[in-house]
Amino acid sequence: MTSTPDDSIQKVLAALEVFSAKPDKVSLDQANTWLQEFQHSPDSWATCNVLLLNPNVPSAGKTFAAQTFRAKVTHDLHQLDASQRAGLRDSLLAAMGQYANGPRTVLVQVSLALSGLAIQMKEWDDAVPSLIEGLGRNPVTVAALLQFLTVLPEEVSGNTRIPISNEDFAFQEARLLTANAPQILDLLNMYCQATGITPLVQAGVFKCLRSWMITGEITPASIAETPLLALAFTSLDDEQLFDFAVDTICDLIHETQEIEENRTVIEAVLPRLLALRPKLAAACQADDSEKVRGLCRIFTEAGETYRMLVLQHPDTFFPIVEAIGECAAYTDLDVVQITFPFWFRLAQSIGKKQNVPVPFLNAYRALMAIIVGHLHFPENPESLTAQERDDFRAFRHIMGDTLKDCCYVLGTEGCLTRVYDMITAAMARGTSGGKVEWQEIEAPLFSMRSMGAEVNPDDEEVIPKIMDLIPQLPSHPRVRYAATLVISRYSDWTDKHPSYIPFQLSYISAGFEDADTEVAAAAGQAMKYMCKDCKKHLVLYLPQLHTFVQTVGPRLIQDDRLQVYEAIAYIISSMSMNEAGQTFRSFALDLVTQVHAVLGKAAAATPDELQTIADALELLETMLHVIQSFGEELPPACKDTAVQIYGVLDNLIAKHGRHYFISERVCRVIRMGIQFYGDSARSLVPAMLQRVATAFHSSGFSSFLWLLGKATSFYAAEQDAALLRAFKDAYEMASLKVFAMVKSQPAADMPDVIEDYMHFVLQMIDFFPEFVFLSPTFPACFQTILTALTLVPQDILFPALDLLRIILAHESLAPGDVPEPPTYPPYASAIRQVVTENGFQLVGIVLTGLVTYFPEDTTQLVVSLFRIMAGIWPTELKAWIFPVVEQIPASSLPLPAKAQFCSDFGSALTTGNLDQIKGAVLALIRTSRKTRERGRNITL
């Protein structure tokens, strides 16, 4: 290949040097962009050839050159003619020899580039034999050959980015892989039997064998006919080869899942597999977790693959189950969880059998005892770090799923009985004077909770005994926590056995008084689920609960109070209309009174008092969220509460609306109140809109803007003069505030305001288009929509694109035969004016976003926008779009892709074939996506 000027090489090295320093973000982005653009250029072939083969080039330059060749072979091979491709091949072959001993990152990238070249270069018809001949005879280069042979099947079968037809792919696959598979197997077998083979080469043999086996080119049957099968198992004794041997054996077993086709292979594997059991026992005894993990992987792979053989021929295959049981009993929980998929799949298969053989029942009984043992907290839980404690708790729930598998095989009643017996045995030992650790009781309780999903709500045998046992349990916080959550989990059962409610309610209520915050949290959860599932039985207990929230409630943390109020709301939702209305009024006015008490003080509210207000509002919101609505007709007791409650909330906004957390809470309560009170609160809406718009204008808090949008969607259909004026005034005031905020601070610093404004404008155009299109603020509104499109969050992009589509496709722009409303001509005039004035910016933002940060789901919306503009503004669009395309950096869109898009899009505009626009846009997206993927490949 021809040499390149020294200054090009120096520029590349200078850009790479930026990455090794401590650059600022601007310098880093500039260097990265320049390197990406350089990778696209035809000149990079020659420059990278020098960088790769010159021994004096720094390692970063060599790595970059190898990565660039890999990317360009995939995407840019069309830049080279046949003779240049041959030169590239020779350069890459030379690099294979040069980097045979590393660095490995360079060798891998060169191997990938060479593989991609072999796939596309049809005239290179002896690629695999020629590499074997050139690299396979010299011990120094064997590792490089094995690296190439390892990545070749992966590239042929998995690199869908190579621009080649399916027919050509199939042809090359047959020529490169299938035709050479026998020779590759012989080669690997020869290397393994060679005198003085190094662990590095032997590891390379295993990796290469796996690659060809996974792609189906070398079959397990053919491997079984060679010494490679035995070598894989014997290599388990070599620490340097252990992990490679494990991977190879696991893959080989997995590839024998077509049982009938591989019976001979399975017969060869099984005795070697069972011979590993003493090694497993020894590794467990020595607490060699890495070796146990590898052997566990082998046994569980065999168990899952040969699951049906285990069931059909237990005399022969059941030892695999026993070995997996030994793995499940190991102390390292990372090893234990490897077995879980096997137990699940085996349970699903056993569940289809009418009679379960005793060995399998015993295996799951043993497994259940093992899992309960693993559930035990350490003797000193404080010895765990916070992260270790969180990880263990999370893993307990994963183990709980395996307990459900035990229930599936053994039956829930039997499993519950066994863990019940564990608790009673421990308690009996304690009664007799023996020492009982709390973990011995807590772990079985946790398992009861895990198995709750499998419980029969009509059970009359085991669960009553469990419930009778709970009051006798020790008062240790962990035990009480677990017992409370058992009650919570079995609430469906309690609903059919309401006689247990008094005891459970008392037990739960006492939990709120516990000094341990987690016990109180469990009590809140239990209260919620009991009231949700047993709500009809708990109506009689509402006075007791009301007293509870008035006396104990103030001492609870907010999260626990929320659980209690949610629970009470479930009970209210089950009551008759009049009773529910009266009860809700009582609880709601209690909370509003707390707010009013703070507002009524002459002195300024303290931070604690403001928090009290926020907490009370959150409780009220929770109740409204559960109850939702009483229907079109409110109960008599509730009819005047809207005025009472809103009067307090209006005063709250006026006094404290500039506190962000207050604004969030009050707006959410009003939103739920709108749903709850519906039309009966309509008379309050004009004043509410004015208050909320004024609050937004003074604070800039997005919650007020959000509430305006929600109120518009609910009440805008009402044709009331006062309401119409209120909506118009609120929209104008809110819009002016948004425009002022956009001018004074970066839009990226207030995405919540932009998003909520987009939704508000969507509602206004839907119900009151005249307030938007005919307003003097419409041009600024349109500019704000364009600003929203420059922000990354999808929650903003989609409503902004929707708004553009609605505006550009408005019916007023395409009058039909039916007489149009008198407002349509001024609508059309306003829309045409803003599009004409902002069209270039609009096209630039949308097209740039499409090839950079827009998510894939926006494609259809963008296509629709361009089709609409091509139909209404074809001349203007042609004048806008081509300069925009030229401004997009080559790092985002290569020059050939730009030219192709301009040609296709221009043709669509000229011919009026709007369907062609979709094809042009989709092709542009595909090219830009590939370009972004290339950019991610620069890893130095």
Side-chain angles (χ1 to χ4, degrees), residues 208-285:
C208 183
L209 180 63
R210 289 180 59 218
S211 180
W212 286 72
M213 182 167 50
I214 290 170
T215 53
E217 297 297 337
I218 293 180
T219 65
S222 61
I223 295 172
E225 295 174 354
T226 72
L228 289 169
L229 176 61
L231 179 66
F233 280 90
T234 57
S235 294
L236 293 171
D237 296 326
D238 188 326
E239 288 189 7
Q240 296 183 74
L241 298 175
F242 180 80
D243 290 337
F244 300 105
V246 168
D247 290 339
T248 303
I249 294 169
C250 286
D251 287 337
L252 187 142
I253 292 172
H254 184 77
E255 293 302 317
T256 61
Q257 57 190 296
E258 297 296 336
I259 302 297
E260 292 303 321
E261 298 176 10
N262 291 285
R263 282 193 176 273
T264 303
V265 183
I266 296 170
E267 289 171 0
V269 167
L270 185 61
R272 292 182 168 88
L273 186 65
L274 300 184
L276 296 178
R277 289 196 63 187
K279 298 181 188 296
L280 175 63
C284 291
Q285 182 68 29

Side-chain angles (χ1 to χ4, degrees), residues 83-105:
S83 63
Q84 290 173 318
R85 293 185 184 192
L88 171 64
R89 176 194 61 195
D90 296 340
S91 292
L92 293 175
L93 288 172
M96 289 290 290
Q98 182 174 329
Y99 295 101
N101 294 320
R104 186 175 182 277
T105 53

Side-chain angles (χ1 to χ4, degrees), residues 88-312:
L88 171 64
R89 176 194 61 195
D90 296 340
S91 292
L92 293 175
L93 288 172
M96 289 290 290
Q98 182 174 329
Y99 295 101
N101 294 320
R104 186 175 182 277
T105 53
V106 176
L107 179 62
V108 170
Q109 292 298 315
V110 173
S111 297
L112 289 168
L114 202 56
S115 298
L117 184 63
I119 294 169
Q120 299 176 77
M121 194 173 173
K122 291 184 180 180
E123 61 271 26
W124 190 15
D125 55 7
D126 63 342
V128 174
S130 65
L131 263 93
I132 293 174
E133 179 67 25
L135 301 175
R137 297 181 181 277
N138 184 348
V140 176
T141 57
V142 166
L145 172 64
L146 290 173
Q147 182 63 62
F148 169 77
L149 293 177
T150 299
V151 302
L152 178 64
E154 298 166 1
E155 285 293 285
V156 172
S157 61
N159 190 348
T160 57
R161 294 170 296 173
I162 292 179
I164 187 173
S165 68
N166 291 336
E167 294 77 11
D168 287 342
F169 246 125
F171 176 79
Q172 291 295 81
E173 181 179 31
R175 186 165 73 169
L176 291 170
L177 302 185
T178 308
N180 293 299
Q183 184 183 3
I184 298 302
L185 184 59
D186 291 341
L187 181 74
L188 298 178
N189 188 41
M190 179 193 71
Y191 284 147
C192 283
Q193 298 181 72
T195 304
I197 182 174
T198 64
L200 177 65
V201 171
Q202 197 162 345
V205 167
F206 283 136
K207 288 190 288 185
C208 183
L209 180 63
R210 289 180 59 218
S211 180
W212 286 72
M213 182 167 50
I214 290 170
T215 53
E217 297 297 337
I218 293 180
T219 65
S222 61
I223 295 172
E225 295 174 354
T226 72
L228 289 169
L229 176 61
L231 179 66
F233 280 90
T234 57
S235 294
L236 293 171
D237 296 326
D238 188 326
E239 288 189 7
Q240 296 183 74
L241 298 175
F242 180 80
D243 290 337
F244 300 105
V246 168
D247 290 339
T248 303
I249 294 169
C250 286
D251 287 337
L252 187 142
I253 292 172
H254 184 77
E255 293 302 317
T256 61
Q257 57 190 296
E258 297 296 336
I259 302 297
E260 292 303 321
E261 298 176 10
N262 291 285
R263 282 193 176 273
T264 303
V265 183
I266 296 170
E267 289 171 0
V269 167
L270 185 61
R272 292 182 168 88
L273 186 65
L274 300 184
L276 296 178
R277 289 196 63 187
K279 298 181 188 296
L280 175 63
C284 291
Q285 182 68 29
D287 198 19
D288 187 343
S289 60
E290 291 305 314
K291 186 161 288 188
V292 175
R293 184 195 311 274
L295 295 173
C296 179
R297 285 182 55 208
I298 292 173
F299 279 113
T300 52
E301 184 63 55
E304 292 183 50
T305 304
Y306 305 147
R307 185 173 66 256
M308 298 314 297
L309 290 175
V310 170
L311 293 171
Q312 294 164 6

Side-chain angles (χ1 to χ4, degrees), residues 453-510:
E454 311 299 321
V455 164
N456 178 7
D458 297 316
D459 177 78
E460 301 288 349
E461 298 296 327
V462 184
I463 303 180
K465 292 196 295 183
I466 293 173
M467 293 301 165
D468 293 338
L469 179 65
I470 287 177
Q472 306 170 40
L473 295 174
S475 59
H476 191 282
R478 294 297 90 210
V479 173
R480 189 171 188 94
Y481 174 83
T484 304
L485 290 179
V486 168
I487 293 174
S488 172
R489 192 67 185 83
Y490 287 29
S491 55
D492 283 338
W493 180 88
T494 303
D495 183 43
K496 294 195 174 184
H497 301 80
S499 62
Y500 284 88
I501 288 178
F503 136 67
Q504 292 185 359
L505 196 58
S506 175
Y507 191 86
I508 293 169
S509 299

Side-chain angles (χ1 to χ4, degrees), residues 624-647:
L624 289 168
H625 178 75
V626 172
I627 298 170
Q628 296 286 314
S629 171
F630 285 129
E632 295 183 5
E633 186 68 26
L634 281 174
C638 290
K639 288 191 174 178
D640 62 340
T641 56
V643 175
Q644 293 174 281
I645 294 174
Y646 180 71

Side-chain angles (χ1 to χ4, degrees), residues 395-411:
F395 188 65
R396 293 179 102 208
H397 291 285
I398 297 173
M399 290 192 284
D401 291 337
T402 300
L403 287 173
K404 295 173 188 175
D405 300 331
C406 295
C407 290
Y408 195 70
V409 175
L410 302 173

